[in-house]
Every structure is written in C-alpha cells, then in structure tokens.
Amino acid sequence: SALTQPRSVSGSPGQSITISCTGTSSDVGAYNYVSWYQQHPGKAPKLIIFDVNKRPSGVPDRFSGSKSANTATLTISGLQVEDEADYHCCSYTGAYTYVVFGGGTKLTVL
Amino acid sequence: EVQLVQSGAEVIKPGESLKISCKTSGFSFTSFWIGWVRQMPGKGLEWMGVIFPDDSDTRYNPSFQGQVTISADKSVNTAYLQWSNLKASDTAMYFCARLDGTLYTPLVDWGQGTLVTVSS
C-alpha cells in the first residue's frame, strides 16, 4: 500500500520544514532507494532527492533527505516562495510490486 | 538534451480502446527502462509499470496487471500505454518517465503528461 505522508505542511519564507514519509520494513526500511519528487500545479514531477539523501545536479542544497527505520524525511531549509508545490516520496519495494509512492504533501509557503 | 514528448489529451467513451505514446530523444532508448505513472485528479502518483525497450522486458504493478499494456517500438524510440476497455475510473493524467538505470533507480526525466478523460 501507499507510503504515508502528511496531507499538507506550511512555513514562512526563510524557515525550515520537514515532510515525513512512513512505510514498512518491506519498502522504506528495507532499501536505501527512497526518492522525492517536486510537482508544481499542472506540471510534471521533478526529481529532487534520490537514494535517500543524494541531490541531482542543479537541485539546491536547501533540499536534503534522511531516513530512520521505516520513515524517510525531506527537509527544506531557507524556504522560498517557489518551493510551494506538492512533494511525493517514493520507495523501491522489491521484485514484485517494485515501486510505491506516497500520497503526496502540499507545501504552502505563507 | 533528453526529451520525452507525450501524445495529446484524449476524451474517450467508456468501453473504447486507447493507445497513448511517449516519444523519446537525447539518450539511447534501448539502454534505459521507461516507466508509466498515473495521477488521478487531485491525488498522488501511482507507479503502473516499466519496459526495457531493448528486449521488451515488462514489469507491472500488480494493481495494473491485466488492466493496461505497456509496449515499445525501438525503430521510433517510442513507448506506449494502451487500454482495451476504458472505464470512467481510468480518467487521469498519465506520465512517462526514464529510469536512471536499474529497476531501483529513480525516475530522472519525465514527459509532460497525457490527460485521459473517459466520459460518455
């Protein structure tokens, strides 16, 4: 089943926020293959974190990822207005279901 | 530059069939898995399945197995997603994306999405 994310989070410009992504010992807890995607309204998702804590080229270091047991966390520091978007976590689950996403979290920058 | 360009929006009646496409360029089409992701209105992303175009090895999310068919044509560097009997519940945005390597790698490049609306 889908990974569990909060429906929404909010913060002010300059603040830091975290978004949790809770799975099980069969997905998040079993593999270091957690990724995060940013999606602005009407746009395609964009990869911002992979392998738990790695950033693709061009993604600001304000975005960071971590994992503890069955929960992965995305942290965005120094919030900017353009960070307002939906954020989706994703984990590899092995050779049957392969990949599972979270339900998505809407970030509002107040 | 890597590009995945998807076919345009579709409005289809229940029970009809449909095939949407994802034309790729800027990378070796036969060397990377291509995946399909569904996003129902106002909802999160769902991984549907992937194909390795070199040998057409295809893996499905069990939730979508038997409901859709994923295919690829190496001669035109294009992946496809098709339905034979659409339902109203298939109304969604569908994205194709390129995996960075093996099956556990992330979706690094995305198409712009194809909106499929199933309505009588």
Side-chain angles (χ1 to χ4, degrees):
Chain A
S1 54
L3 307 175
T4 300
Q5 297 181 235
R7 294 286 295 268
S8 64
V9 299
S10 62
S12 299
Q15 286 186 332
S16 294
I17 63 96
T18 61
I19 299 174
S20 61
C21 170
T22 302
T24 69
S25 57
S26 297
D27 39 61
V28 174
Y31 305 97
N32 287 325
Y33 298 130
V34 175
S35 50
W36 290 88
Y37 299 86
Q38 177 192 62
Q39 186 180 28
H40 287 107
K43 300 294 187 181
K46 172 190 173 185
L47 177 68
I48 56 172
I49 295 288
F50 67 100
D51 292 355
V52 176
N53 56 15
K54 297 180 180 144
R55 281 186 311 278
S57 172
V59 174
D61 59 7
R62 303 185 295 103
F63 294 88
S64 62
S66 61
K67 190 186 87 166
S68 177
N70 298 337
T71 298
T73 301
L74 173 70
T75 300
I76 308 174
S77 58
L79 268 179
Q80 298 184 2
V81 172
E82 57 263 34
D83 297 335
E84 184 163 295
D86 292 328
Y87 291 84
H88 307 272
C89 66
C90 177
S91 176
Y92 181 69
T93 65
Y96 179 60
T97 52
Y98 297 104
V99 172
V100 63
F101 282 99
T105 298
K106 180 175 180 58
L107 168 62
T108 302
V109 180
L110 304 167
Chain B
E1 179 194 7
V2 171
Q3 287 193 314
L4 293 88
V5 179
Q6 297 185 229
S7 49
E10 303 273 3
V11 180
I12 301 289
K13 290 182 170 45
E16 292 187 338
S17 60
L18 176 66
K19 190 174 188 177
I20 62 175
S21 65
C22 172
K23 183 165 178 59
T24 73
S25 60
F27 66 96
S28 173
F29 183 64
T30 53
S31 299
F32 293 90
W33 292 88
I34 301 293
W36 287 94
V37 175
R38 182 174 80 174
Q39 187 168 36
M40 300 177 76
K43 301 297 184 183
L45 305 175
E46 297 173 273
W47 190 89
M48 301 176 72
V50 291
I51 188 165
F52 194 71
D54 189 45
D55 59 4
S56 290
D57 184 2
T58 309
R59 314 290 176 91
Y60 291 95
N61 177 333
S63 297
F64 291 93
Q65 180 89 47
Q67 309 304 309
V68 297
T69 301
I70 294 171
S71 60
D73 185 339
K74 291 188 286 187
S75 68
V76 289
N77 293 344
T78 300
Y80 302 94
L81 177 66
Q82 69 181 89
W83 299 258
S84 59
N85 180 16
L86 279 157
K87 310 176 192 59
S89 57
D90 293 314
T91 294
M93 181 71 83
Y94 293 88
F95 294 99
C96 64
R98 180 178 74 98
L99 279 70
D100 196 29
T102 59
L103 283 171
Y104 50 79
T105 57
L107 299 158
V108 289
D109 299 294
W110 293 68
Q112 82 277 19
T114 296
L115 180 62
V116 174
T117 303
V118 183
S119 173
S120 54

